[in-house]
């Protein structure tokens, strides 16, 4: 797609206040594929004012009409599915099959789910002698990451619109082109002017201005825990609501009774998907000591298969960061059984699919989010030891448990300090709440729980 040279403000593409631009680079070949405005505080202010002006009418719109606009948005996105996939492949480097199956298809499904929720949600309920009314929280500042660029946009914007909120979106500077495509889809779907606004820009400039703006009632942010802490502090000073989906270091616990080959192969695939750039990836594989070496051999073999089909990481900085963690793993005594810091291609920001064995819980690679195709395999003595290791990080976003009997896996999963656990390879559910414990965030996305983040409650007594 051709990049717009303006921001989407109050229903139209308009020039940004300044002349600064962001170059969008294809991480697979390091070529510039587009340029977008680097919006500043003046542009953010104009977008928030537009959203504020549009709020009363949109909030008063019947849920059925909001559902109709979301249905139309879903249909436009579905019609442009191929273009979405091509755009994400170009600016993120995602392999085309993954772009089609995940980066394009999942946001379409999520948009459709919120069309249905908007039409059927009980925005009012009777409780004794009171009527409890759920109304939109107001203007939403949505700040989204680059790793699942369209999914994260839809996961914030769709429930916000369903709730009756208006939105200012600041997408990641590495992947702004699919955000512009989304703005085109919103326009084509007939969403009224000012209800959705897009400002492309740098996080420390446009993102910070949006988080700090007094006209924003809720900041919904997905990204690193470090940035999330700063946003929470800023919002706290203004007593402003936040929804934060942050980092993860999820444990894939393989109990002794599990089908080891299946658990290991699925676990490796989970880590290598999207070049490891997934906050909920199961980057710590926990295996009982009696089957540990067997699991290591299986994982090394599985990882090697991804060497010629994995995409690049998003930019040179991320490539250096991931390789730095690999070097730390080696320096701290972990055993490298696959991958490493070797270059896969002459051009592009690639990282080899990497597997470490003999990883201990205190090692850096077992504690910190790497955000690349790097798997750490840890040994445990018994179930209590496995639980201690699984819960032994500051994060609690996701995880997995494998066992011969489903009940055994469920019993273990209930004791994990994490927001979402897959049982024996359970499938992704776009209606289930997604979000974390501890430093993995505040609030939930997707389904009715995601919708609730954008509502506030008023009770009327009779």
């Amino acid at each position: 797609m051709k990049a717009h040279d303006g921001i989407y403000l109050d229903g139209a593409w308009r020039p940004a206040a300044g002349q600064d631009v962001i170059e969008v680079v294809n991480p697979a070949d390091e070529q510039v594929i587009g340029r977008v405005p680097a919006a500043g505080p003046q542009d953010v202010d104009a977008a928030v004012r537009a959203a504020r002006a549009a709020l009363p009418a949109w909030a008063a719109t019947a849920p059925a009409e909001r559902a109709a606009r979301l249905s139309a948005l879903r249909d436009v996105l579905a019609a442009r599915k191929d273009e979405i996939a091509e755009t994400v492949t170009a600016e993120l480097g995602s392999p085309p099959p993954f772009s089609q199956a995940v980066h394009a298809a999942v946001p379409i499904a999520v948009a459709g789910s919120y069309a249905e929720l908007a039409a059927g949600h009980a925005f009012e309920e009777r409780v004794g002698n009171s009527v409890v009314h759920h109304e939109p929280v107001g203007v939403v500042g949505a700040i989204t990451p680059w790793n699942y660029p369209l999914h994260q946009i839809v996961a914030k914007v769709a429930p916000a619109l369903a709730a009756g909120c208006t939105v200012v979106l600041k997408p990641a500077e590495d992947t702004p082109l699919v955000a512009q495509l989304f703005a085109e889809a919103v326009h084509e779907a007939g969403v009224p002017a000012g209800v959705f606004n897009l400002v492309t820009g740098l996080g420390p400039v446009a993102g910070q201005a949006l988080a700090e703006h007094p006209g924003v009632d809720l900041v919904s942010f997905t990204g690193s825990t470090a940035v999330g802490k700063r946003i929470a502090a800023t919002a706290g000073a203004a007593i402003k609501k936040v929804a934060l989906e942050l980092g993860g270091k999820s444990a894939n616990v393989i109990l002794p009774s599990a089908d080891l080959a299946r658990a290991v192969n699925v676990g490796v695939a989970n880590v290598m998907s999207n070049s490891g750039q997934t906050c909920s990836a199961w980057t710590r594989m926990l295996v009982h000591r009696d089957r540990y070496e067997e699991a290591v051999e299986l994982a090394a073999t599985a990882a090697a298969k991804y060497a010629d089909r994995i995409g690049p990481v998003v930019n040179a900085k991320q490539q250096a960061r991931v390789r730095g963690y690999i070097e730390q793993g080696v320096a701290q005594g972990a055993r490298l059984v696959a991958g490493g810091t070797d270059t896969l291609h002459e051009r592009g920001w690639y990282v080899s699919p990497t597997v470490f064995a003999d990883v201990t819980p205190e090692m850096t690679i077992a504690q910190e989010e790497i955000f690349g195709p790097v798997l750490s395999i840890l040994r445990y003595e018994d179930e209590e030891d496995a639980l201690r290791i699984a819960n032994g990080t500051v994060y609690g976003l996701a995880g997995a448990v494998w066992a011969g009997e489903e009940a055994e896996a469920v019993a273990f999963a209930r004791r994990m300090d994490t927001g979402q656990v897959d049982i024996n390879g359970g499938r992704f559910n776009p209606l289930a709440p997604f979000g974390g414990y501890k430093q993995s965030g505040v609030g939930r996305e997707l389904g009715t729980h995601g919708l609730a983040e954008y509502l506030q409650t008023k009770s009327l007594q009779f």
Side-chain angles (χ1 to χ4, degrees):
M1 66 170 291
K2 183 180 182 297
H4 288 276
D5 58 4
I7 59 176
Y8 185 73
L9 174 64
D10 203 18
W13 293 97
R14 307 175 191 275
Q19 300 300 311
D20 293 340
V21 298
I22 296 169
E23 289 189 336
V24 185
V25 179
N26 184 331
D29 59 16
E30 303 176 42
Q31 298 299 304
V32 175
I33 58 174
R35 293 173 176 83
V36 301
Q42 185 176 341
D43 301 302
V44 170
D45 180 65
V48 173
R49 290 179 183 275
R52 178 63 59 186
L55 178 62
W58 183 248
T61 301
E65 174 56 24
R66 300 200 293 265
R69 294 307 100 218
L70 286 167
S71 292
L73 175 61
R74 174 203 57 207
D75 293 344
V76 174
L77 293 174
R80 302 182 69 173
K81 181 180 178 182
D82 290 344
E83 186 180 0
I84 290 168
E86 291 167 4
T87 301
V88 176
T89 291
E91 62 183 350
L92 182 62
S94 173
F98 193 78
S99 292
Q100 279 280 349
V102 177
H103 288 295
V106 172
I108 293 167
V110 172
S113 74
Y114 278 113
E116 295 179 8
L117 282 171
H121 188 75
F123 288 93
E124 203 166 83
E125 57 183 318
R126 188 85 189 197
V127 180
N129 66 306
S130 301
V131 170
V132 179
H133 181 63
H134 304 283
E135 59 189 32
V137 72
V139 175
V140 173
I143 304 174
T144 55
W146 45 259
N147 60 323
Y148 289 90
L150 185 59
H151 169 62
Q152 290 293 342
I153 288 170
V154 172
K156 297 181 189 304
V157 175
L161 298 188
C165 298
T166 56
V167 180
V168 178
L169 169 67
K170 205 297 287 184
E173 49 262 39
D174 290 291
T175 54
L177 300 184
V178 77
Q180 290 191 337
L181 192 157
F182 179 77
E184 293 175 357
V186 168
H187 190 89
E188 188 176 342
V191 175
V195 171
F196 171 82
N197 306 273
L198 169 68
V199 289
T200 52
L202 301 175
V205 181
Q208 183 172 337
L210 185 58
E212 292 177 347
H213 200 290
V216 171
D217 300 296
L218 180 151
V219 180
S220 181
F221 169 79
T222 296
S224 72
T225 296
V227 176
K229 288 178 179 179
R230 294 200 294 271
I231 288 175
T234 297
I239 317 298
K240 184 182 298 186
K241 187 176 181 182
V242 295
L244 305 173
E245 198 269 280
L246 308 174
K249 195 67 182 175
S250 301
N252 179 18
V253 182
I254 304 175
L255 296 176
S257 62
D259 179 339
L260 184 66
R262 180 166 180 256
V264 170
N265 285 323
V266 174
V268 171
N270 176 278
V271 173
M272 302 306 160
S273 294
N274 211 41
S275 302
Q277 299 169 130
T278 303
C279 54
S280 58
W282 310 332
T283 52
R284 295 181 298 144
M285 181 180 289
L286 278 56
V287 184
H288 189 269
R289 62 181 182 183
D290 291 344
R291 307 195 71 184
Y292 186 80
E293 290 301 332
E294 183 184 355
V296 168
E297 184 176 343
L298 287 167
T301 301
K305 297 176 182 177
Y306 288 88
D308 60 354
R309 48 179 159 150
I310 197 169
V313 294
V314 71
N315 55 37
K317 180 180 178 181
Q318 186 66 14
Q319 182 192 52
R321 180 178 186 271
V322 175
R323 286 179 172 175
Y325 274 111
I326 294 172
E327 291 169 355
Q328 284 188 70
V330 173
Q332 292 178 4
R335 174 166 45 115
L336 188 65
V337 296
T341 57
D342 293 342
T343 302
L344 285 176
H345 305 278
E346 290 186 7
R347 294 186 65 82
W349 297 307
Y350 290 86
V351 176
S352 296
T354 298
V355 177
F356 279 106
D358 298 340
V359 178
T360 56
E362 71 278 2
M363 287 182 180
T364 302
I365 58 172
Q367 288 292 321
E368 297 185 13
E369 184 176 46
I370 298 172
F371 228 60
V374 180
L375 171 65
S376 296
I377 309 181
L378 295 90
R379 182 186 288 104
Y380 68 86
E381 297 294 318
D382 54 29
E383 189 170 304
E384 292 305 313
D385 190 36
L387 185 67
R388 178 187 62 81
I389 296 170
N391 290 339
T393 75
V394 298
Y395 299 110
L397 184 58
V401 184
W402 301 79
E405 296 293 333
E406 182 178 286
E408 182 186 3
V410 170
F412 189 96
R414 291 185 185 279
R415 301 169 69 196
M416 293 174 71
D417 297 334
T418 191
Q420 191 171 62
V421 185
D422 292 352
I423 304 298
N424 287 339
R427 294 180 296 110
F428 171 72
N429 179 1
L431 297 178
F434 179 79
Y437 290 14
K438 300 187 285 188
Q439 292 190 26
S440 285
V442 176
R444 293 295 181 267
E445 292 186 325
L446 304 179
T448 56
H449 294 80
L451 178 61
E453 295 293 331
Y454 299 92
L455 295 169
Q456 54 191 349
T457 304
K458 177 185 292 178
S459 62
L460 308 176
Q461 281 64 249
F462 295 89

